[in-house]
Amino acid sequence: MVRMRAADAVEKITRFDAAVLASRKPALLSNVFDDGTPEVRWHLIAMLRRLPLDAAELASILKRLDRLLREDESRIVKTAALQTAFELRQQSPGAQKTFAAMLAFALQSPWPSVRARARKLAG
């Protein structure tokens, strides 16, 4: 509960001041803060979109987001992964291709919440 609330607070703070993430960028990229709970994971996913990323970091994050969309048990994590990929897609042609594949998967997924988010992002 404490970790989830802390992740929520940090994620909300970074909406207005993403610079506070700079010192924690290596840990966020390595996924060291993921405690195995969906509640923490979806906040961490949201923070990833606020990091300045080079091409290799972007590719790594998109690969992780695609895996989360396809394999995570939590539907909230799946939709958070899709949303973050959507927001990162403009950073490179490779990111656009990865997002397009994720979107196609999400539009055909068996989870109504994921399909709904995909339709919103596609439209």
Side-chain angles (χ1 to χ4, degrees):
M1 180 64 88
V2 172
R3 282 181 256 165
M4 188 263 313
R5 289 188 184 233
D8 180 53
V10 171
E11 190 266 322
K12 286 178 180 170
I13 290 167
T14 64
R15 290 177 190 173
F16 304 102
D17 185 10
V20 299
L21 293 175
S23 65
R24 299 293 181 215
K25 181 179 175 180
L28 286 165
L29 293 177
S30 70
N31 212 25
V32 73
F33 293 126
D34 187 349
D35 69 349
T37 63
E39 295 83 6
V40 169
R41 199 161 36 256
W42 83 65
H43 290 299
L44 294 172
I45 290 168
M47 286 185 257
L48 291 174
R49 70 180 77 132
R50 298 184 185 110
L51 293 172
L53 303 168
D54 64 30
E57 292 166 339
L58 177 60
S60 176
I61 285 175
L62 288 169
K63 184 177 180 179
R64 184 187 330 165
L65 294 173
D66 187 47
R67 182 179 42 78
L68 289 169
L69 172 64
R70 294 170 190 272
E71 299 173 8
D72 201 275
E73 292 180 16
S74 168
R75 293 174 190 177
I76 295 173
V77 169
K78 289 176 183 300
T79 58
L82 187 62
Q83 181 69 43
T84 294
F86 172 79
E87 293 182 21
L88 294 174
R89 79 191 189 290
Q90 296 300 325
Q91 292 188 22
S92 77
Q96 291 176 1
K97 284 183 180 180
T98 300
F99 173 71
M102 291 173 70
L103 185 63
F105 173 82
L107 286 167
Q108 299 300 316
S109 73
W111 311 286
S113 58
V114 175
R115 285 194 314 270
R117 178 58 56 100
R119 283 191 303 272
K120 180 178 177 183
L121 296 176

